[in-house]
Every structure is written in structure tokens, then in C-alpha cells.
Amino acid sequence: MSGDLLVVGSVAIDSVETPFGREDEAVGGSALYFTAAASLFAPVRLVAVVGEDFPEERVAFLAERDVDLSGLVRRPGRTFRWKGRYGFDLNEAHTLETHLNVFEDFAPNLDPAHRACPYVFLANIDPDLQQRVLDQVESPRLVALDTMNFWIEGKRRSLLEAIERVDLVVLNEAEARMLADEANLVRAAQRILAWGPRGVVVKRGEYGAIYFADGHVFAAPAYPLEQVFDPTGAGDTFAGGMMGYLANTGNLDPDNLRRAIVFGAAMASFNVEDFSFRRLERLTYPEVAERFRRFKALTHFEADV
Ligand code: AMP
């Protein structure tokens, strides 16, 4: 059963420095990157808050893609701000500043269309807020959650409560290790699975992604690119491609989940080609499908034993 996809997470104004340049006042945030990717696959409903300084025209392209922005509310104050830096190892973001601003006391009340969404993504944001959304959704088919070190360190108890309530956890390699307090990735994933979720997807930047479930492991590479410009949002874009494909097909079988992970990797590979989500704005579905097919060629081999 295909259906609408609800996302809650940050909508931000970012300042990002990479070895190739810098961009101040870029529109970003986990929920926005997710939505920019997922909206190529399925109808998305976004729940988040922005302040008076948010340039609304930067997200106008989402309305043209059938995204419901009625849950994106504006409050007095400043938009969530994040400042980060990447060194030559583009797999790891170094947070320089985080200002929650209007997210500090945001407590959304979902309307009936949001509550009825069968697919839910709790993008990286305060786990209290993720749980508040979980409390209100009616009977989703699939709920996935992402997080980061900021919340693992600052709100661990609430985060663990949230994780117990979801089907799928999607997180970066370093964060999987930190969350599970376990250096070995396989054991870290097993520990997270023991808390309740049915699957864990570990994102590994340029090394791809690995999916762990009970008795099931799947690894997808990252697409080999000659130049990575700005990795900001790659993880959220990955999740957007994966969840968007699942919501579009309505098929949660293991084989389809593998395809969804490859669609996630394909979307992430586009996002890093330009600053902010500029590449996602001009991306078309045929381009995504072409890259998906290239993944198949990239990973295909014949066993001779
Ligand atoms: P990613 O590169 O996919 O891990 O996500 C980057 C996005 O995460 C940026 O656009 C930031 O605005 C957002 N972000 C950074 N820190 C936080 C945080 N503590 N909570 C929610 N979103 C954040």
C-alpha cells in the first residue's frame, strides 16, 4: 500500500565550510534535505518550524512537487542555525555552532491528514519532538528515525525511548558506534536491534551504507564521484530517497528494501555535487532512474565457484 510520507525534523539556516569553499546563510536542515529528495518519489507532508528570518521563497519549489507545507509554521524569533566545517575527510562534519532558536519550544499538534500518514520519518531533531509526533500518528506502516551526536550526548534517555518505538533506525557510522557504545559496527547494530527496531541502516559517507536486520545484511556502495562539493545533507537525502521509494511502492519486503537503499545512495550522490540542495532542486526522476541502473552495473558480478 503506497501512501503519504510524513517528516518532522530541522529546517535550518546553515553556514558550511568545506575545503572547496564556504556558504553562509544556506537553507538546509534534516527535514528539508529529506523532503527535497523524497518528493521526487511520493507526496510528502512536512512538520517543522521556522523564524521570521526564513526566506520562504527558497522552498517554493517544494510546493510545485506536491509537498504539503501546511505543517511548516512560522514563529516569532530566529530560525534554527547550524554552523559546520568539513576537512578533506568529507565523511565527517564538525559542528561549530548549534542554535535551536524557534525549535527550543516547538510542540506541534498534527492535523488529521498528518496523523493518517502510513509512512513516517523522524529526521534528526530533538527526540522529545520525535516522540511527540509518534504520540499523534495513528497506525503507520513504517516509522524510521535518524539522529546525531548532539542528541545522543544531550538527550540520550529520550532518544532511547524513541528508538524503542520505531521500525528502522538510520544513522551515521560514528553515531551508531557512539549510540551503542561499541566500536565494532556489527555489534553496534546488533545492540541497537536489541532495543526494538526491525532494521538499522548505517550510513558510511563515501563508503556507502550497510543494512542490518535479524539474519540479514545488505551493503550498498556510494556512487564513485570525481568531485564531492558539499556533503551537507547527504544523510538526509539518502533517507529521503529510501523512504520515498518505500512510500511510492508500498512494498516492505527485504528485496524492495535493498532497492530502496540503492535509491537512497543514488539521491545522496546527486546532493553532494553542489552546495545546499541546489542539485536536488533541478533533479528529475529520469536522472535518478539512470543512476539507479548504474548502481546495478557497478555492483554486478558473476560467481564462478
Ligand atoms: P547531514 O549532513 O545529512 O547529517 O545533515 C545536515 C543537516 O543537519 C544540516 O542542514 C543541519 O542544519 C542539520 N543539523 C545539524 N545539527 C542538527 C541538530 N542538532 N538537530 C537537527 N538538525 C541538525
Side-chain angles (χ1 to χ4, degrees):
M1 185 187 62
S2 63
D4 291 7
L5 179 48
L6 177 70
V7 57
V8 61
S10 58
V11 171
I13 298 180
D14 293 336
S15 293
V16 181
E17 251 180 75
T18 76
F20 318 110
R22 62 179 294 155
E23 177 141 335
D24 288 317
E25 304 283 302
V27 169
S30 58
L32 264 194
Y33 279 107
F34 179 92
T35 302
S39 56
L40 277 181
F41 297 84
V44 181
R45 297 180 190 272
L46 170 65
V47 171
V49 60
V50 293
E52 291 147 324
D53 53 352
F54 188 76
E56 212 140 291
E57 66 285 355
R58 285 290 290 113
V59 296
F61 77 101
L62 293 176
E64 287 159 29
R65 285 198 192 162
D66 211 8
V67 174
D68 171 13
L69 295 171
S70 64
L72 177 63
V73 298
R74 194 186 275 271
R75 293 274 185 270
R78 275 160 72 82
T79 300
F80 175 100
R81 278 168 194 262
W82 178 73
K83 195 169 180 184
R85 187 176 56 216
Y86 295 86
F88 275 101
D89 178 0
L90 292 169
N91 297 315
E92 206 185 338
H94 303 279
T95 294
L96 303 175
E97 289 173 27
T98 304
H99 302 280
L100 297 178
N101 296 334
V102 288
F103 264 103
E104 201 109 41
D105 45 25
F106 177 54
N109 290 315
L110 305 189
D111 70 23
H114 291 113
R115 288 170 190 256
C117 285
Y119 300 90
V120 178
F121 189 69
L122 308 172
N124 176 28
I125 196 64
D126 188 333
D128 290 346
L129 184 49
Q130 293 178 319
Q131 288 209 66
R132 189 178 166 93
V133 168
L134 270 180
D135 290 341
Q136 294 177 63
V137 288
E138 274 152 12
S139 49
R141 282 194 76 204
L142 179 73
V143 181
L145 172 149
D146 192 358
T147 192
M148 72 181 284
N149 49 8
F150 187 86
W151 304 113
I152 297 172
E153 285 165 346
K155 289 246 175 141
R156 185 176 177 86
R157 185 188 293 251
S158 174
L159 179 59
L160 293 182
E161 281 169 16
I163 287 174
E164 278 176 20
R165 301 172 65 187
V166 304
D167 303 297
L168 206 58
V169 174
V170 184
L171 78 186
N172 290 345
E173 181 172 5
E175 282 142 10
R177 292 195 169 105
M178 180 190 244
L179 176 65
D181 195 19
E182 166 62 62
N184 180 280
L185 203 55
V186 178
R187 284 214 293 264
Q190 281 164 352
R191 187 163 294 177
I192 297 168
L193 288 173
W195 295 333
R198 282 183 284 141
V200 178
V201 181
V202 180
K203 298 170 287 181
R204 306 181 63 228
E206 67 182 307
Y207 307 112
I210 311 188
Y211 169 71
F212 297 91
D214 192 21
H216 191 111
V217 185
F218 174 64
Y223 191 71
L225 290 170
E226 262 179 55
Q227 196 185 19
V228 173
F229 219 75
D230 174 13
T232 313
D236 312 304
T237 312
F238 174 97
M242 183 187 77
M243 290 294 287
Y245 182 74
L246 291 173
N248 174 284
T249 55
N251 176 352
L252 303 180
D253 294 345
D255 280 350
N256 206 50
L257 202 67
R258 288 176 174 229
R259 281 189 284 272
I261 287 169
V262 175
F263 269 108
M267 292 306 293
S269 73
F270 283 112
N271 184 54
V272 301
E273 288 177 355
D274 203 344
F275 268 110
S276 187
F277 46 75
R278 287 204 199 107
R279 184 67 183 95
L280 299 180
E281 274 185 77
R282 47 177 209 274
L283 190 61
T284 62
Y285 184 76
E287 289 176 287
V288 181
E290 171 58 22
R291 193 158 287 184
F292 178 81
R293 284 190 289 272
R294 290 193 190 183
F295 266 90
K296 187 163 183 334
L298 176 70
T299 53
H300 180 82
F301 70 94
E302 302 283 347
D304 63 353
V305 285

